[in-house]
Amino acid sequence: MAARENSSPSCLYDALVVGAGIQGSFAAYHLAKRGQKTLLLEQFPLPHTRGSSHGQSRIIRSAYPQDYYTAMMKEAYRLWAELEAEANTSLQRPTTMLILGRQETPAFQSYWQTMQRHHVPSEVFTPQALARKYPDIHPHGGVMAVADLTAGVLFPDKALRAVQDQFQRSGGTLRDAEKVLSILPGNVITVTTNRGEYQAKRLVVTAGAWTSHLLAPLGLRLPLQPLRIQVCYWRAKGPSAHSHLEKFPCFLGINLNQEVHDIYGLPSGEYPGLVKICYHHGSPVDPDKPDQLDQASAVPDLQILQNFVKSYLPGLDPEPAVQERCLYTNTPDADFILDRHPRFRNIVIGAGFSGHGFKFAPVIGEILCKLSLEEEPPYNLAPFQISRFPASPKAAL
Ligand SMILES: Cc1cc2nc3c(=O)[nH]c(=O)nc-3n(C[C@H](O)[C@H](O)[C@H](O)COP(=O)(O)OP(=O)(O)OC[C@H]3O[C@@H](n4cnc5c(N)ncnc54)[C@H](O)[C@@H]3O)c2cc1C
Ligand SMILES: O=C(O)[C@@H]1CCCCN1
């Protein structure tokens, strides 16, 4: 559990951040570095595995179909390096990432063209060159690859710890095992928890899969869907294939088996000899009841993964060796929500990271910090505005 500081529960904070996942922790870090007296509250004892920011591996990459994400990654890499220098530790391992697809697939083309437009260091592999370089991957049906040479694997547990430590070093207060129960808006916002009451001039809500629940009493109904993701680790069928797995790249397969959502993989890391391969989608779930799935809306994720492994990675045993869980919080368009509350402008929301937000966290923290200080962040934030959702929020206010 994080150390409790001697701050009086009734004192006035410049900023209060709800939720100490990677996004809230980076928002609090930037606020504290800007001299704001900041309180970061987390409902569970830290560290915990019940949200989205735990584990040993997340992909970092510049490759995206949309310009606005690739453009943000320049600053993200710079800020990750800054945190690594401050914390005197390494938070990532460079690893090539292959975008796998067929030349005629529009989504595959979009990745490739965006990388070219932004001069992302890259390498193109024909199906033959791909088979030569990565013998574990069977690129049948004309599957080729464009490699993002800026990519890597981030270490989420270590990163979360590092940013929270630096936040506290900058004078911030972190209280875990303290759940926010209610928010009373105003020029000075009052936040009630299971342990006390706090007041703050500005509030940042980064509550992951719990965001809708927290914001509904403030008249805001956001179309956020928590999803349960099966995180699967796979072993090689025999010892000869095993040696190749150490050279395994990160990959993102675009519509290779006609799946609706992408399939992605990472090299062996948290479990020696096992590669991580997952479906970029999951089954709707209540984050407070992660073991209860509504079978009618459950997604056959495991079956989809097994079919993929059999056809594209035949050197792997098509039964996962280890299965774990994580939560996504998806918006309908898979773009984030980074915006002020439409009525209460001193409440800022960072949510809906839709399974791809970790790599951006240092920039997202900076954006949320600037929004809450009433500054204009130097990014195109139109894709992240609440007003893009029809009938929301005015109808709900
Ligand atoms: C399996 C998996 C793979 C992924 N792979 C990648 C990847 O390769 N690359 C990438 O960039 N991203 C990836 N992501 C996405 C990334 O991990 C998430 O976008 C990111 O972690 C979201 O962080 P968050 O802070 O919004 O949410 P969370 O980490 O869930 O944090 C929200 C926090 O708020 C707390 N909270 C909620 N309600 C309250 C309350 N009332 N009071 C106090 N605290 C509260 C919660 O307990 C939680 O700790 C992946 C996610 C998963 C699940
Ligand atoms: O954000 C990422 O880079 C990965 C890609 C695939 C799905 C999970 N997240």
Side-chain angles (χ1 to χ4, degrees):
M1 241 166 85
R4 282 178 185 276
E5 293 185 10
N6 251 349
S7 50
S8 146
S10 61
C11 76
L12 175 67
Y13 287 92
D14 294 321
L16 192 154
V17 180
V18 186
I22 198 67
Q23 312 299 1
S25 298
F26 262 112
Y29 161 90
H30 286 291
L31 283 159
K33 283 183 114 187
R34 295 283 304 271
Q36 301 294 300
K37 183 177 161 66
T38 305
L39 173 64
L40 172 59
L41 293 176
E42 167 55 47
Q43 64 180 338
F44 297 129
L46 289 168
H48 75 86
T49 58
R50 287 180 263 183
S52 303
S53 300
H54 60 279
Q56 312 295 318
S57 59
R58 293 288 187 280
I59 295 169
I60 180 166
R61 56 178 159 123
S62 304
Y64 261 88
Q66 301 95 335
D67 290 288
Y68 47 88
Y69 285 120
T70 300
M72 279 163 90
M73 279 311 297
K74 267 213 168 103
E75 178 71 349
Y77 278 109
R78 190 187 73 72
L79 290 172
W80 277 115
E82 200 168 285
L83 176 63
E84 285 176 311
E86 284 169 10
N88 193 23
T89 190
S90 165
L91 300 174
Q92 55 185 302
R93 180 175 71 235
T95 311
T96 294
M97 172 148 185
L98 301 177
I99 308 296
L100 295 168
R102 297 183 178 83
Q103 193 152 13
E104 64 276 15
T105 304
F108 178 71
Q109 280 291 336
S110 300
Y111 275 96
W112 195 352
Q113 287 163 5
T114 308
M115 285 167 76
Q116 285 174 320
R117 272 198 302 279
H118 291 260
H119 308 289
V120 175
S122 60
E123 189 176 350
V124 176
F125 291 93
T126 62
Q128 299 75 18
L130 185 63
R132 270 197 307 276
K133 173 95 180 193
Y134 297 102
D136 294 305
I137 301 174
H138 267 219
H140 55 79
V143 166
M144 60 175 297
V146 53
D148 177 349
L149 304 179
T150 70
V153 177
L154 285 165
F155 310 137
D157 284 346
K158 209 174 160 192
L160 194 61
R161 181 70 202 263
V163 67
Q164 290 172 354
D165 283 353
Q166 292 307 313
F167 162 65
Q168 290 174 293
R169 283 205 182 149
S170 303
T173 304
L174 170 58
R175 292 177 181 260
D176 66 350
E178 180 147 3
K179 181 173 177 160
V180 171
L181 302 175
S182 70
I183 297 164
L184 186 64
N187 283 340
V188 170
I189 301 159
T190 302
V191 168
T192 307
T193 74
N194 56 326
R195 289 172 183 265
E197 198 175 274
Y198 304 95
Q199 296 199 305
K201 295 180 198 159
R202 46 189 73 83
L203 185 77
V204 178
V205 177
T206 43
W210 292 265
T211 302
S212 296
H213 184 71
L214 211 50
L215 292 176
L218 299 182
L220 193 53
R221 270 177 239 120
L222 296 174
L224 292 170
Q225 178 61 66
L227 298 175
R228 192 182 86 176
I229 305 299
Q230 289 290 115
V231 183
C232 298
Y233 297 87
W234 312 72
R235 71 161 53 91
K237 275 178 182 160
S240 58
H242 179 90
S243 62
H244 294 308
L245 294 185
E246 282 142 28
K247 287 192 283 171
F248 210 76
C250 290
F251 73 82
L252 186 65
I254 314 288
N255 197 225
L256 299 191
N257 262 354
Q258 272 81 53
E259 312 87 1
V260 181
H261 300 279
D262 302 335
I263 289 177
Y264 66 99
L266 290 86
S268 176
E270 43 272 71
Y271 296 104
L274 303 187
V275 291
K276 176 173 170 180
I277 298 169
C278 310
Y279 189 43
H280 186 37
H281 202 65
S283 303
V285 75
D286 174 344
D288 288 320
K289 296 175 192 153
D291 293 324
Q292 293 176 25
L293 282 193
D294 170 11
Q295 288 311 321
S297 58
V299 168
D301 34 21
L302 203 52
Q303 188 65 52
I304 291 168
L305 285 170
Q306 289 181 311
N307 291 343
F308 176 84
V309 165
K310 281 181 201 157
S311 44
Y312 288 93
L313 300 163
L316 297 181
D317 183 347
E319 273 305 316
V322 175
Q323 289 187 54
E324 293 169 352
R325 284 180 197 163
C326 192
L327 287 175
Y328 280 8
T329 307
N330 278 34
T331 60
D333 54 15
D335 281 330
F336 311 149
I337 294 173
L338 305 173
D339 206 351
R340 299 187 179 94
H341 188 290
R343 193 201 281 176
F344 310 117
R345 307 299 284 171
N346 57 352
I347 298 181
V348 166
I349 299 151
F353 294 102
S354 304
H356 65 115
F358 205 97
K359 65 182 83 57
F360 296 100
V363 182
I364 287 165
E366 195 179 45
I367 291 171
L368 297 174
C369 165
K370 281 183 188 288
L371 285 175
S372 72
L373 293 174
E374 291 183 58
E375 297 170 6
E376 285 316 309
Y379 300 99
N380 167 18
L381 296 187
F384 310 122
Q385 284 170 355
I386 292 171
S387 58
R388 74 188 191 270
F389 303 120
S392 166
K394 287 193 192 78
L397 281 171

